[in-house]
Amino acid sequence: MRTQILLAVCSFSTFWTSLAAPSALLQYRDTTSCPTGPLTADTWESYGVDVFLATWSAVNVTVTPTDNVQSLAASFGAPNFFCGLDETCNAGQPCVPVDIPAWYVLVAIQNWNSYMNAMNTALNFASTMISLALPGIVSDFYPNPTDNITPLQEIGKVFTTALSIVPFTGALGTASSVVTKGLTFVLGIVKPPALPNLFLDWSDVSTSLGKILEGDQNALSSAITTTLNSPVNSSTGINQIVAGGDFLGVNQNFTENDIQSALINSTTVLAISLIFQAQKIFIAATFSVNGNCADSTDNRGLKLSYLCVPNSSGEGYQDYLLTKNDGSSDGEPADLDDFANLLVNKYGISQQTFLVGPRDCLTANGGKQLTDSFNGTIPLDPTTQCLFNILVCNVDGGAADVGIVQDCQDQGLDV
Ligand SMILES: *[C@@H]1O[C@H](CO)[C@@H](O)[C@H](O)[C@H]1NC(C)=O
Ligand SMILES: *[C@@H]1O[C@H](CO)[C@@H](O)[C@H](O)[C@H]1NC(C)=O
Ligand SMILES: *[C@@H]1O[C@H](CO)[C@@H](O)[C@H](O)[C@H]1NC(C)=O
Ligand SMILES: *[C@@H]1O[C@H](CO)[C@@H](O)[C@H](O)[C@H]1NC(C)=O
Ligand SMILES: *[C@@H]1O[C@H](CO)[C@@H](O)[C@H](O)[C@H]1NC(C)=O
Ligand SMILES: *[C@@H]1O[C@H](CO)[C@@H](O)[C@H](O)[C@H]1NC(C)=O
């Protein structure tokens, strides 16, 4: 099989990378007998490929129970066009043997097939990246982890994001619009599984990640199979996918390092925030009209776990404390200066992100705690509001009498 692919590459020079540069094709074709335009959606449009494909399929393709994409290619005169996971289907040169505009259809299908295979690669890269990153984070922030708290799909968001950043056009990371377009496409056809009642095993992350990887790769594989087997002009068929010609110019070039550098910082922020949620670490936020920053803490030697800033309206001060109920009898929660120190000095996460951010997120979501603002994915910018998200307690006047912990519990917070 491998030999076959290599031969195809050598003899026709239409392997993947050359498609990015249509001009590379010019030297191989006779421009008078087989005129072609650049591999773009405009060319697709100008040849009326959507209409051509629909009418051709209706008349010339006999619907079969499976392998309808192959039947389509065969009807064009290319019977050896086998797409699939870990397969490379090759459109060949224009007019050799498939004529224009049918050749554009095969190029688009070839590119779709490469795109799906690239997503499979991206899932593997994401899994490797997370499995390398998590153990260090766990040992820093969760040395005695509990394994039945964090829903597995929370970390599954990283895999979905990896799928969505596989470049739809151009190289990875060149345009932020890529994420949106990729995500719409991915969620439209791949649908990562829901993973209900499964939890992230913090003490053995590789097993957990393996479950996500398997589920996502199965979803991808069945999306490919469904498309290949569906009648080409049905709602799940290939005609719908290549419609419009976007896949003509598609080119996905990325390495493991590309995926890693795009996702690692956001993944780190997500993981730390999930670990804090698991330990019921929260932000105690206090507003003080008359106080000032020095007065608004009881000065227990707090350092990076504490931040006090003037209220933006200039009417007082707002202070923020990263804290945790340690069950002490005075009702005062524990100081988490050690964690705050690691966040700032080891992980480069600012006080603004981990102290102020969660409360801004709470406010922006009308007081709803721990909102998923990113629809099952994560943003690539690790400072995006709501990515670092933990419970927030707006400490009110009652705190003076009952202590912060009781006050927050009285408000219904599980701290
Ligand atoms: C069906 O295929 C033939 C060539 O085999 C072609 O001439 C004809 O135009 C096709 N029909 C449609 C509706 O595309
Ligand atoms: C894709 O990769 C090839 C080979 O590594 C490289 O020559 C080419 O410049 C890359 N294209 C883009 C758009 O990054
Ligand atoms: C092909 O599918 C489209 C969309 O499902 C539909 O509108 C069209 O009528 C179909 N064409 C033929 C020739 O069956
Ligand atoms: C990720 O973090 C590292 C170290 O803090 C930084 O150098 C790099 O620019 C960050 N990358 C992104 C995409 O934010
Ligand atoms: C600033 O303080 C006023 C009360 O005087 C309050 O209404 C407002 O929400 C505070 N602003 C912020 C950003 O906390
Ligand atoms: C979230 O994703 C679903 C598909 O899974 C989509 O239907 C929905 O519109 C998306 N919501 C937002 C706010 O993007």
Side-chain angles (χ1 to χ4, degrees):
M1 191 62 213
R2 183 169 177 81
T3 319
Q4 245 176 327
I5 291 170
L6 288 175
L7 277 177
V9 172
C10 298
S11 54
F12 298 114
S13 281
T14 54
F15 195 55
W16 180 245
T17 46
S18 69
L19 289 169
S23 58
L25 299 173
L26 293 173
Q27 57 189 302
Y28 295 105
R29 63 182 171 76
D30 173 345
T31 48
T32 50
S33 66
C34 189
T36 62
L39 296 173
T40 62
D42 284 349
T43 301
W44 185 277
E45 177 85 5
S46 70
Y47 280 95
V49 181
D50 285 335
V51 171
F52 160 79
L53 184 55
T55 50
W56 178 285
S57 322
V59 172
N60 284 329
V61 184
T62 306
V63 173
T64 48
T66 58
D67 298 323
N68 281 288
V69 168
Q70 205 196 325
S71 303
L72 174 68
S75 77
F76 289 152
N80 296 319
F81 190 79
F82 298 106
C83 304
L85 204 53
D86 297 324
E87 301 281 349
T88 307
C89 42
N90 195 314
Q93 290 299 299
C95 305
V96 189
V98 178
D99 289 336
I100 304 297
W103 180 75
Y104 290 118
V105 175
L106 292 193
V107 171
I109 296 172
Q110 173 184 325
N111 288 355
W112 161 78
N113 187 64
S114 282
Y115 182 82
M116 300 302 272
N117 277 286
M119 289 207 278
N120 198 49
T121 303
L123 288 172
N124 284 314
F125 288 171
S127 182
T128 304
M129 175 204 69
I130 303 167
S131 67
L132 291 174
L134 282 191
I137 296 171
V138 172
S139 85
D140 278 343
F141 296 107
Y142 207 11
N144 299 303
T146 308
D147 292 331
N148 62 354
I149 294 181
T150 306
L152 193 52
Q153 62 200 12
E154 288 295 326
I155 210 78
K157 293 172 180 178
V158 180
F159 287 79
T160 308
T161 309
L163 288 178
S164 74
I165 62 173
V166 170
F168 199 76
T169 50
L172 187 147
T174 50
S176 56
S177 65
V178 165
V179 174
T180 317
K181 185 160 194 180
L183 183 61
T184 309
F185 183 77
V186 166
L187 294 182
I189 59 166
V190 180
K191 296 181 185 63
L195 307 170
N197 307 319
L198 292 179
F199 295 93
L200 177 59
D201 191 345
W202 289 108
S203 54
D204 176 19
V205 291
S206 60
T207 304
S208 294
L209 295 175
K211 286 180 194 158
I212 304 174
L213 183 63
E214 190 186 351
D216 282 2
Q217 288 187 324
N218 284 343
L220 186 64
S221 168
S222 79
I224 296 173
T225 308
T226 299
T227 302
L228 293 175
N229 286 341
S230 296
V232 293
N233 200 48
S234 66
S235 60
T236 52
I238 193 72
N239 292 10
Q240 295 290 319
I241 288 178
V242 298
D246 282 341
F247 269 110
L248 261 196
V250 85
N251 170 33
Q252 50 284 88
N253 239 10
F254 60 89
T255 63
E256 182 152 13
N257 190 48
D258 290 335
I259 294 279
Q260 144 118 5
S261 37
L263 285 172
I264 186 66
N265 292 5
S266 290
T267 300
T268 300
V269 170
L270 172 74
I272 295 172
S273 124
L274 293 174
I275 284 173
F276 282 14
Q277 288 173 22
Q279 297 175 80
K280 300 184 183 179
I281 290 172
F282 66 103
I283 301 296
T286 317
F287 177 68
S288 155
V289 182
N290 300 314
N292 57 44
C293 282
D295 290 348
S296 61
T297 172
D298 55 5
N299 200 15
R300 289 163 295 163
L302 300 172
K303 299 186 184 75
L304 289 171
S305 66
Y306 172 75
L307 186 67
C308 178
V309 292
N311 184 335
S312 51
S313 63
E315 297 171 80
Y317 295 86
Q318 180 70 52
D319 68 13
Y320 302 87
L321 178 65
L322 180 73
T323 190
K324 178 180 185 316
N325 176 9
D326 63 355
S328 69
S329 56
D330 64 359
E332 292 301 336
D335 308 339
L336 294 175
D337 276 326
D338 289 351
F339 280 2
N341 187 46
L342 282 171
L343 287 174
V344 172
N345 293 315
K346 178 169 178 182
Y347 290 90
I349 300 173
S350 71
Q351 282 187 301
Q352 179 68 31
T353 295
F354 73 83
L355 291 173
V356 181
R359 182 168 176 276
D360 286 349
C361 178
L362 182 75
T363 307
N365 286 287
K368 187 168 181 295
Q369 302 273 357
L370 305 180
T371 320
D372 172 14
S373 307
F374 311 109
N375 207 10
T377 65
I378 58 170
L380 301 186
D381 178 350
T383 64
T384 307
Q385 182 171 296
C386 297
L387 177 59
F388 186 91
N389 211 358
I390 60 178
L391 285 179
V392 176
C393 175
N394 282 309
V395 179
D396 66 21
D401 304 323
V402 299
I404 288 177
V405 169
Q406 186 66 50
D407 183 17
C408 298
Q409 287 173 344
D410 289 348
Q411 296 179 41
L413 287 178
D414 181 20
V415 297

